[in-house]
Amino acid sequence: MARTPRSAAIRTRTGVQPLRFSSTVQMGSIEGAKAENGVAAPACNGGDQRNGGGGAAVRDSEAEAGRKGKAGAGVALPLEVGTRVMCRWRDQKLHPVKVIERRKIPNAGPNDYEYYVHYTEFNRRLDEWVKLEQLDLDTVETDIDEKVEDKATSLKMTRHQKRKIDETHVEKGHEELDAASLREHEEFTKVKNIAKIELGRYEIDTWYFSPFPPEYNDSSKLYFCEFCLNFMKRKEQLQRHMRKCDLKHPPGDEIYRSGTLSMFEVDGKKNKVYGQNLCYLAKLFLDHKTLYYDVDLFLFYVLCECDDRGCHMVGYFSKEKHSEESYNLACILTLPPYQRKGYGKFLIAFSYELSKKEGKVGTPERPLSDLGLLSYRGYWTRVLLDILKKHKSNISIKELSDMTAIKADDILSTLQSLDLIQYRKGQHVICADPKVLDRHLKAAGRGGLEVDVSKLIWTPYKEQG
Amino acid sequence: MSRLSFRPRPLDIHKKLPIVKSIKDFEDDDAPATAASTRNSQLLRLAADADNEQVHQTPGKKSSQEIPTPQFSVVATYERDYARTFAQPTSYLRARGARAEIGEFVEYDLDDEDEDWLEEFNKERKTLTPEKFETLLFKLEVLDHKIREKAGVITPTFVSPIPVLLKLDAAAEALQSLFVRFAVFQSVYNYWKGKRERWQKPILRCLQPPPPVNDTNPYNVFRPREKAHRLHTRRIQRRENNVQSFEKLRQVRRNLDQVKTVLEALIKREEKKREVMECEINLQRIQLKYKHEAQLVEDRSALPGFIPAPCKFGSREDDLMDSDDATNGRPHAWPTAVHLQSIDYKMAMVPAGRMRQDLKRAPLRNGWLRKMDPNEPVLLFARGVDPDKLAAAGIVRPPDPSIENGSVAPPYRFHGRIGRGGRIIFDRWNPLLRAPLGHESSAYVLPSPLPPPNG
């Protein structure tokens, strides 16, 4: 299976969280892609729960009579939240959607609404506002009988079965979050507040909700200064800002430079506003990130491509200054225009190079998103199998850990998931058949951009004073 | 799929694990009947798949490309908005002080509301540039913050609306250097104050206090984290120099003295134990020697052609002394007087150091027939049972069952031996397998009453 994990969505959670960002199905995952190819049912993404018992009311006798019957041309407008309908997507084809929210179009007729829809085949990141013209009203199904249906099924099912369904329902990628907090999260983040951002050269469609200050709630597009990451609501404001902004690179120390690629270390305490801006921005593309706590306990490692206009951020990862759980990475993001170019793998490799310099083993903060786990599994597989291929004599997991700065648990889980640790004659052995290793290595994908350790000039963080 | 029938012991991460370079090693080196072999065949299959993986690859690749993500596009005005004024220095870039420290940079950016108000304000004639307006708002924010700081009303978190303390006159005076006409300044001040009162918090983001720690509103972000107080209790205690800590230290001393007494007693006890042990070892050595040399006497008499080397035998009085007892074959029956006498004799003869050396060497030797060293002890349980002696002692060998029913199974001979403590042990017999217990590896075959058919 070809794995080209885009390291876009690895969430972080930095403490207790009344604020929980999560989503339903991570369709961006490889697993999701498989399902998309026609294996599994595509629409297990919480659409029902999202609106369960919410706005779906019985509207007319026609709908009442025909359960989920086609309403046809006589459909009542505006459509209710919870309606299922086909919608023309950017590929000009019709896709099934569910109406999540609706709003009046300003300065239009009383029944002129636009609808926030969830494409049931895809990840939540593709949810968007659409006009009525995009919807095929002949395919309208109202979920009016959702409650009744739920009741019927719940009667037939034992409590255990029900629980099982509930569990599997939320499972993909959010094993660590319980169903209740997941639903709370979905309710809170169900509609993206910012639809687009402009950041440097690119205008980017956002993926998820981000809790910007309330003053920004009324705008669907934000303009970011690509250097200090301040955000504004109008283009003119950005242009005026650009005339005075004195930054051409992240406000920290450059700790790595190789060709046009540079890495900057930014202290969240010294550059609070920058750190916060970065978090607001990152949250737009990470479902499982919390902005609950302040940034001063974190260091931000911002990766840039540099040219004569400045150093343009392509991605970043954050890291706790002191991690009690030996985390060497809290949150990681490659911005969409730079995805699938190997930057994510570079960021992961970089985080381990820092751990090696610290003389510590490290591990990413949990829970990992599906995409995150995939990227990490790929990295671990490549690093460990490359060693096993060359290594001749016996080797312990601890030695592997010391060589790679990968935590022993992660090494074990990686080797075990590849079935490379066998129990023979009362002892564990590592199977390193070159054919098997090559196969796994191929499946793990390319290594991406290499980290040239000789170009890393860095000393571990020390508290001042 | 296939599970090991036993639970593997947990993997020790410090233990060196062998690296097996070929799966075939797994197949060859073990009995095929173990449950683990299914796992290996799975591995073999994996290896085989490596050759025709083209088949597996294609669908996976296709689907990964199909994962849709939201789109992005290139901003047309980018080249104009961002000037080509950056030159990378040869050395790595270093961070300057944060913007707030530099102080010159106008951190505030006008928002929609500000722009709209300014447009309205400039409607009749252009009196205020956006840049100037921005600067004014920024300076007003900073001044107000300083005043609140002086008044001591800065709260670490956002618990209640933040009031404006800056007065118009004070502001105008402080910002004289900006050369703004008072009328304009007054309008800006009033606009700013109105906005502040609506927002109920500073409009400059870096001056807005974070939400309180216990606030659970998910829209509020970037709470301060409670500082985890690391208690340096030990260091603090050590520094204290009062009656309490004196008493504590005296208590510690008393405890240590008691520990010392207990440990000394313990050492004495262990020394005594060692002495007792050495005595017992001596005793046993002497007993063994008696037994062993008596046996040699016996052997010589059984094989008339055998002439023992003089160094082996006959040079010691004690060998002769118990020779009549040896015929008995039962050590327990030795007369007590001889027993004690021999112990005394040995104690005098063998220094303790040498004895220990002998004992250490003993387990390495397994060829008991090479009795070259007369000091070498012979352990009773390692000796076979002499049927004649058994008969003499009135012990009858159990009958051989294979002879009884006349089956074709090879006749089995009992291996009797003397166990620890002098018991006589016969290996047990499995009547179904017609083999001694402990040899079950041979296939289980029911003894057939019929002779095998010819052909």
Side-chain angles (χ1 to χ4, degrees):
Chain A
M1 186 159 98
R3 291 185 185 178
T4 46
R6 294 149 306 125
S7 54
I10 300 171
R11 66 157 309 282
T12 178
R13 191 156 58 170
T14 48
V16 203
Q17 55 282 137
L19 168 56
R20 277 173 160 147
F21 290 108
S22 56
S23 79
T24 48
V25 182
Q26 290 275 0
M27 269 307 202
S29 72
I30 299 302
E31 288 84 349
K34 260 205 257 163
E36 204 178 306
N37 256 12
V39 185
C44 51
N45 44 22
D48 294 40
Q49 291 182 4
R50 196 176 291 165
N51 298 293
V58 180
R59 279 191 54 82
D60 52 22
S61 55
E62 191 183 325
E64 208 170 11
R67 239 177 68 163
K68 288 203 163 196
K70 286 196 177 181
V75 67
L77 288 177
L79 295 172
E80 288 296 335
V81 166
T83 305
R84 289 176 186 277
V85 65
M86 299 297 276
C87 176
R88 199 166 299 283
W89 193 47
R90 65 189 192 206
D91 63 357
Q92 299 311 316
K93 287 185 188 134
L94 288 172
H95 292 266
V97 298
K98 177 158 180 164
V99 176
I100 302 299
E101 193 57 274
R102 64 180 189 193
R103 67 182 177 202
K104 274 195 173 172
I105 301 171
N107 312 321
N111 269 353
D112 286 342
Y113 279 79
E114 53 185 350
Y115 299 91
Y116 193 74
V117 296
H118 169 66
Y119 295 90
T120 52
E121 299 164 322
F122 304 136
N123 179 272
R124 215 156 83 92
R125 63 173 71 98
L126 292 163
D127 292 4
E128 63 181 352
W129 288 101
V130 297
K131 298 273 185 295
L132 192 63
E133 301 89 87
Q134 286 172 261
L135 302 175
D136 179 4
L137 293 181
D138 291 335
T139 60
V140 164
E141 293 174 18
T142 40
D143 264 4
I144 41 160
D145 285 327
E146 205 167 74
K147 268 197 217 161
V148 183
E149 224 169 62
D150 272 1
K151 226 179 204 171
T153 45
S154 67
L155 282 177
K156 276 179 225 151
M157 278 189 293
T158 66
R159 207 179 310 155
H160 178 69
Q161 282 169 326
K162 191 122 196 283
R163 199 182 63 223
K164 235 177 153 181
I165 284 183
D166 280 352
E167 278 165 6
T168 49
H169 193 89
V170 295
E171 210 163 289
K172 288 192 184 175
H174 323 280
E175 290 83 353
E176 276 96 336
L177 301 174
D178 58 283
S181 54
L182 200 61
R183 236 159 281 157
E184 181 192 323
H185 163 77
E186 272 168 21
E187 183 54 35
F188 165 56
T189 64
K190 66 179 181 184
V191 179
K192 286 175 211 171
N193 46 346
I194 310 293
K196 278 181 197 300
I197 60 161
E198 207 179 287
L199 175 71
R201 186 182 291 274
Y202 298 102
E203 181 186 274
I204 310 166
D205 288 352
T206 63
W207 293 17
Y208 302 106
F209 173 90
S210 179
F212 280 93
E215 300 85 68
Y216 295 85
N217 279 351
D218 57 345
S219 59
S220 61
K221 183 171 176 184
L222 289 183
Y223 299 84
F224 279 79
C225 165
E226 75 162 330
F227 301 120
C228 73
L229 301 182
N230 276 0
F231 41 88
M232 286 140 272
K233 290 197 264 189
R234 286 183 190 158
K235 180 90 175 179
E236 306 79 63
Q237 292 161 12
L238 175 74
Q239 284 166 334
R240 188 164 49 244
H241 172 87
M242 289 324 299
R243 285 198 290 275
K244 72 174 178 186
C245 185
D246 50 354
L247 274 179
K248 291 287 177 190
H249 55 83
D253 292 338
E254 190 177 8
I255 59 170
Y256 179 90
R257 185 190 294 174
S258 175
T260 58
L261 207 59
S262 282
M263 182 73 95
F264 290 84
E265 182 189 62
V266 182
D267 186 333
K269 188 167 189 158
K270 288 184 195 158
N271 296 283
K272 199 168 248 198
V273 173
Y274 180 85
Q276 292 181 349
N277 290 347
L278 182 53
C279 287
Y280 282 128
L281 172 66
K283 180 64 198 74
L284 290 170
F285 305 101
L286 300 174
D287 201 7
H288 291 249
K289 176 179 169 54
T290 172
L291 309 187
Y292 194 72
Y293 284 118
D294 207 351
V295 293
D296 45 4
L297 297 182
F298 289 88
L299 294 168
F300 298 91
Y301 293 91
V302 185
L303 185 63
C304 296
E305 280 284 3
C306 305
D307 61 19
D308 55 3
R309 286 193 161 82
C311 301
H312 315 284
M313 170 180 166
V314 302
Y316 87 103
F317 69 89
S318 57
K319 173 177 177 159
E320 272 180 283
K321 289 173 179 173
H322 305 285
S323 172
E324 310 246 318
E325 291 92 348
S326 75
Y327 294 138
N328 66 353
L329 181 144
C331 212
I332 179 169
L333 168 74
T334 305
L335 288 168
Y338 300 95
Q339 283 170 12
R340 302 177 202 224
K341 292 183 168 65
Y343 291 116
K345 292 161 188 171
F346 180 92
L347 290 170
I348 291 177
F350 201 91
S351 72
Y352 279 106
E353 291 306 332
L354 296 188
S355 291
K356 286 181 198 168
K357 286 243 174 181
E358 289 175 315
K360 290 177 184 168
V361 296
T363 188
E365 191 176 317
R366 303 302 202 279
L368 288 171
S369 73
D370 48 359
L371 279 171
L373 183 61
L374 221 78
S375 298
Y376 266 97
R377 269 281 150 72
Y379 175 78
W380 292 331
T381 303
R382 277 190 303 278
V383 170
L384 295 173
L385 267 50
D386 279 343
I387 292 175
L388 291 180
K389 261 173 94 170
K390 290 172 205 143
H391 205 84
K392 294 280 185 292
S393 55
N394 295 359
I395 192 163
S396 70
I397 302 294
K398 181 72 171 42
E399 284 168 321
L400 281 172
S401 176
D402 292 342
M403 289 162 79
T404 59
I406 301 172
K407 205 179 175 190
D409 292 349
D410 297 334
I411 294 179
L412 265 181
S413 73
T414 304
L415 293 182
Q416 275 164 350
S417 74
L418 298 175
D419 233 348
L420 294 183
I421 292 188
Q422 302 274 315
Y423 195 63
R424 310 295 301 165
K425 292 180 174 172
Q427 67 164 344
H428 294 273
V429 301
I430 297 172
C431 165
D433 188 297
K435 260 189 183 172
V436 177
L437 295 192
D438 283 340
R439 191 180 141 74
H440 287 315
L441 278 172
K442 200 162 182 186
R446 291 177 304 109
L449 300 157
E450 290 284 317
V451 179
D452 183 346
V453 189
S454 67
K455 290 172 175 164
L456 172 62
I457 302 177
W458 182 75
T459 48
Y461 177 81
K462 264 196 212 111
E463 202 77 64
Q464 279 154 355
Chain B
M1 208 166 62
S2 66
R3 292 188 53 186
L4 294 177
S5 54
F6 54 91
R7 183 206 300 260
R9 73 181 62 163
L11 203 158
D12 176 6
I13 61 163
H14 298 284
K15 197 184 168 197
K16 292 209 173 229
L17 308 180
I19 293 181
V20 181
K21 282 288 177 192
S22 169
I23 299 170
K24 303 213 166 67
D25 295 354
F26 284 147
E27 289 296 304
D28 299 339
D29 67 1
D30 213 349
T34 55
S37 65
T38 19
R39 290 170 70 87
N40 295 334
S41 53
Q42 199 183 336
L43 269 179
L44 272 176
R45 194 166 42 75
L46 269 179
D49 279 357
D51 302 328
N52 51 358
E53 67 190 40
Q54 218 52 35
V55 189
H56 298 271
Q57 282 287 329
T58 357
K61 201 157 214 160
K62 201 177 151 209
S63 64
S64 82
Q65 282 166 349
E66 276 177 14
I67 302 169
T69 52
Q71 294 166 310
F72 60 88
S73 56
V74 173
V75 177
T77 59
Y78 175 75
E79 314 257 306
R80 261 186 293 126
D81 295 344
Y82 289 80
R84 307 172 70 148
T85 54
F86 178 67
Q88 213 172 15
T90 46
S91 60
Y92 284 15
L93 289 158
R94 303 291 298 174
R96 307 160 306 167
R99 278 177 170 172
E101 294 165 27
I102 300 164
E104 286 310 304
F105 180 77
V106 177
E107 223 178 306
Y108 185 73
D109 295 308
L110 295 185
D111 67 10
D112 293 10
E113 198 184 10
D114 303 331
E115 281 189 332
D116 294 348
W117 179 85
L118 186 65
E119 203 185 311
E120 190 66 27
F121 185 73
N122 282 339
K123 213 167 192 175
E124 282 157 28
R125 69 193 166 100
K126 201 167 165 83
T127 47
L128 187 63
T129 62
E131 285 75 14
K132 197 83 170 182
F133 186 39
E134 218 163 52
T135 310
L136 280 172
L137 291 175
F138 174 67
K139 298 273 180 187
L140 285 171
E141 279 288 290
V142 173
L143 279 175
D144 179 62
H145 183 78
K146 279 182 185 157
I147 286 176
R148 278 184 291 123
E149 222 167 29
K150 265 186 204 157
V153 295
I154 302 269
T155 50
T157 55
F158 188 53
V159 282
S160 55
I162 293 163
V164 177
L165 294 190
L166 182 65
K167 296 279 181 286
L168 174 63
D169 299 347
E173 199 184 316
L175 297 178
Q176 267 178 347
S177 57
L178 291 174
F179 304 113
V180 181
R181 283 194 296 125
F182 186 76
V184 174
F185 185 79
Q186 192 175 22
S187 307
V188 170
Y189 175 86
N190 288 334
Y191 166 75
W192 167 75
K193 197 171 180 201
K195 181 168 178 147
R196 273 289 300 268
E197 274 156 5
R198 262 181 290 118
W199 282 35
Q200 302 195 326
K201 63 180 181 185
I203 57 172
L204 194 57
R205 258 188 47 223
C206 66
L207 299 180
Q208 294 169 358
V213 177
N214 56 2
D215 179 0
T216 54
N217 181 350
Y219 288 95
N220 294 338
V221 291
F222 301 126
R223 286 161 187 72
R225 204 180 295 225
E226 309 93 296
K227 282 227 169 69
H229 282 291
R230 289 226 179 76
L231 297 171
H232 304 287
T233 43
R234 286 194 178 166
R235 201 181 299 159
I236 290 162
Q237 270 178 9
R238 210 184 301 143
R239 284 207 194 107
E240 277 175 48
N241 199 10
N242 51 21
V243 180
Q244 243 183 348
S245 55
F246 175 65
E247 277 304 321
K248 238 176 214 168
L249 281 176
R250 270 172 55 149
Q251 179 69 38
V252 169
R253 195 199 161 88
R254 271 199 298 277
N255 288 346
L256 285 175
D257 279 341
Q258 282 168 351
V259 168
K260 199 179 159 208
T261 315
V262 169
L263 283 176
E264 275 166 0
L266 199 78
I267 288 167
K268 257 185 205 158
R269 190 188 69 190
E270 291 301 313
E271 276 169 357
K272 289 284 174 211
K273 267 165 98 174
R274 188 163 65 186
E275 275 170 34
V276 170
M277 180 66 76
E278 279 173 3
C279 285
E280 271 176 17
I281 290 166
N282 261 340
L283 176 66
Q284 283 203 350
R285 273 199 79 254
I286 290 159
Q287 284 177 347
L288 283 171
K289 190 167 158 39
Y290 265 112
K291 179 67 190 148
H292 152 62
E293 293 188 352
Q295 187 66 41
L296 282 185
V297 174
E298 218 178 30
D299 289 350
R300 190 181 49 174
S301 58
L303 303 162
F306 178 73
I307 297 147
C311 68
K312 264 192 196 168
F313 182 71
S315 59
R316 304 256 171 93
E317 310 152 53
D318 57 329
D319 291 332
L320 298 169
M321 256 165 66
D322 69 39
S323 60
D324 49 347
D325 294 310
T327 50
N328 202 331
R330 279 164 51 189
H332 294 301
W334 290 353
T336 324
V338 177
H339 202 159
L340 287 175
Q341 197 189 347
S342 61
I343 291 165
D344 292 341
Y345 172 78
K346 267 295 168 200
M347 291 283 266
M349 288 291 289
V350 186
R354 179 161 168 208
M355 187 187 67
R356 224 170 281 144
Q357 193 190 355
D358 286 350
L359 284 173
K360 253 186 246 163
R361 218 160 25 147
L364 300 175
R365 307 248 174 141
N366 40 14
W368 290 105
L369 289 173
R370 294 182 296 120
K371 291 167 184 167
M372 299 305 289
D373 185 358
N375 281 332
E376 196 169 65
V378 178
L379 299 173
L380 283 175
F381 57 81
R383 298 187 50 129
V385 178
D386 188 339
D388 297 329
K389 274 195 199 172
L390 284 176
I395 298 170
V396 186
R397 250 176 52 158
D400 194 328
S402 65
I403 294 163
E404 267 176 28
N405 59 14
S407 105
V408 288
Y412 172 71
R413 291 181 60 84
F414 276 101
H415 300 296
R417 56 191 169 86
I418 296 174
R420 279 173 218 271
R423 281 167 297 133
I424 294 169
I425 296 170
F426 287 102
D427 294 318
R428 282 202 287 168
W429 172 261
N430 185 334
L432 288 173
L433 294 181
R434 290 163 184 274
L437 282 173
H439 291 256
E440 255 91 332
S441 60
S442 56
Y444 178 87
V445 182
L446 272 175
S448 161
L450 297 170
N454 288 328

